[in-house]
Amino acid sequence: MAVSVRIPTILRTYTGGDSEVSAEGSTLAEVLDDLDARFAGIKGRVVDEDGKLRRFVNVYVGNDDVRFLDDLATPTPEGTQISVIPAVAGGC
Amino acid sequence: MSAAVTEADQTTSTENTGPREGAFGNAVALACRECSHRVDLGPFYACPECFGPLEIAYEFPAITRAEIEAGPRNIWRYKALLPVPTDIEASPNTEPGFTRLLEAKNLAAELGLARLWVKDDSTNPTNSFKDRVVACALSAARELDAKVFACPSTGNLANAVAAAGARAGIKTVVFIPSNLEQPKQVNSAIFTESLVAVDGNYDDVNKLASEIAGEEEGWAFVNVNVRPYYAEGSKTLGYEIAEQLGWRLPDQIVIPVASGSQLTKVDKAFQELIKLGLVEDKPYRIFGAQAEGCGPVATAFKAGTDAIRPVKPDTIAKSLAIGNPADGIYVLDIARRTGGAVEEVTDDEVRAGIVLLARTEGIFTETAGGTTVAVTRKLVETGQLDPELETVVINTGHGLKTLDAISGQVGAAATIAPTYESFKATGIA
Ligand SMILES: Cc1ncc(COP(=O)(O)O)c(C=O)c1O
């Protein structure tokens, strides 16, 4: 399933500067694998050695933080917008 | 926004693209709090290695109490310890800080504490502690040549950004959740023509701001891309408390927690004061205060876990309503390391806390302060605060901004005819 992924500034070195790329996969985990196949190493920035989302990254499928959904198993239907955003913003 | 100074910038042209010499005072780099990776000073906030938060690293010169005491009666007395240039006073700012530290004998008696102080930050220029962080962020924005000064906010930060931007003559754009308290909306809109109300909660607004920060050139989002500089402003709360206590640290301190940035920086301030020899090293305990409707850090503290599960906020303490607190895990670390705790109270307790502080000390706090006072009461009752030790609570904002939270609770005791008999009949005399 084709989805669109928004890339944060600090990962754009992997995507040749592109802020938005497309990827395939029916779950977030599959999408990340597909991204890694195209942009080698990018997945390791988003997930840690244990394969879990890093503490300081938020991933949204549509408008929802995947921590409220099924984490890496969150379904990513055709046309979904995925956003990867550093979690350290804030202070209110 | 200009990039960090690279070697090429420094060695080549006359056309200087990086920040000027001394733009960030004694700050020398940005360092990741998670993995210690270092980055040049610039508009960067997330570690390129692990996404961890970047913090300011310093090389402080020797500094004395007398030098600090000779400074202005605002946060710039501590400028040597902040990422700001030595001529910071020359640039228009709102000059926040050096707010009163009041000994609160009535409240202490009410709570059963031996000695208690309220650090009253509701008297800052826009009536919250946010003027401190914004003053530092404004300095960074200026030194980085930003064209727009912006923030996502639960209200107080937007007020502070809009006011400071007006004084500095820089365009401001502030983003808030659309259901925010009306007085906080007016307090921003009076200073800026670009108040943007977003249909969503703070976490949605924050996400939007992060996306805009990634796309728009020349925007300084105080709590996103210049966050390392911004966050340092909260250290001044810690410095002031120590100085106002006669250059010593309190035994216990209770601090409201939303993102957790303020609590984390008060601890950083205490550690720096010890390291610089400005106060004696001693144990201190730091306590965090949250409302039950948004208490992800308190929940994790009580569960004994390191991971914080985000929540969807539902509380009258809207200024503390961050469901996914960026510095939450550091709050947990600090509370545990210092023998403190993170506690939470109901909205009714928050209201009671507001009334209690007002009726014992004549200080009208907003919901965040109500939360802090109510949590302090609960900490005493549950034996987590030691009643014999000296305690400081921070009042971070003014009650006039959250009138709705309390207006149903207080009001006229009686409505009478303008006659002495009517008054007598009330039984008040
Ligand atoms: C009045 C008040 N107190 C406390 C806080 C919490 O600050 P922090 O995000 O640094 O934990 C806020 C945040 O907006 C606030 O407005």
Side-chain angles (χ1 to χ4, degrees), chain A residues 6 12 55 88 90-92, chain B residues 34 154 202 211 215 223 227:
Chain A
R6 216 168 266 161
R12 289 182 197 163
R55 294 208 284 191
V88 301
C92 43
Chain B
E34 289 289 293
T154 59
Y202 174 79
E211 287 176 330
E215 301 309 320
N223 47 349
R227 185 176 195 258

Side-chain angles (χ1 to χ4, degrees), chain A residues 4-63:
Chain A
S4 167
V5 186
R6 216 168 266 161
I7 306 293
T9 323
I10 55 173
L11 294 184
R12 289 182 197 163
T13 45
Y14 291 88
T15 60
D18 285 349
S19 59
E20 185 123 18
V21 298
S22 55
E24 296 280 332
S26 57
T27 62
L28 178 58
E30 288 177 20
V31 168
L32 288 177
D33 284 337
D34 185 54
L35 273 184
D36 205 57
R38 296 178 208 200
F39 310 110
I42 197 168
K43 182 182 164 185
R45 288 291 153 90
V46 181
V47 299
D48 63 18
E49 299 71 30
D50 302 329
K52 291 213 225 83
L53 278 182
R54 287 185 183 275
R55 294 208 284 191
F56 286 98
V57 67
N58 290 334
V59 180
Y60 297 83
V61 168
N63 281 323

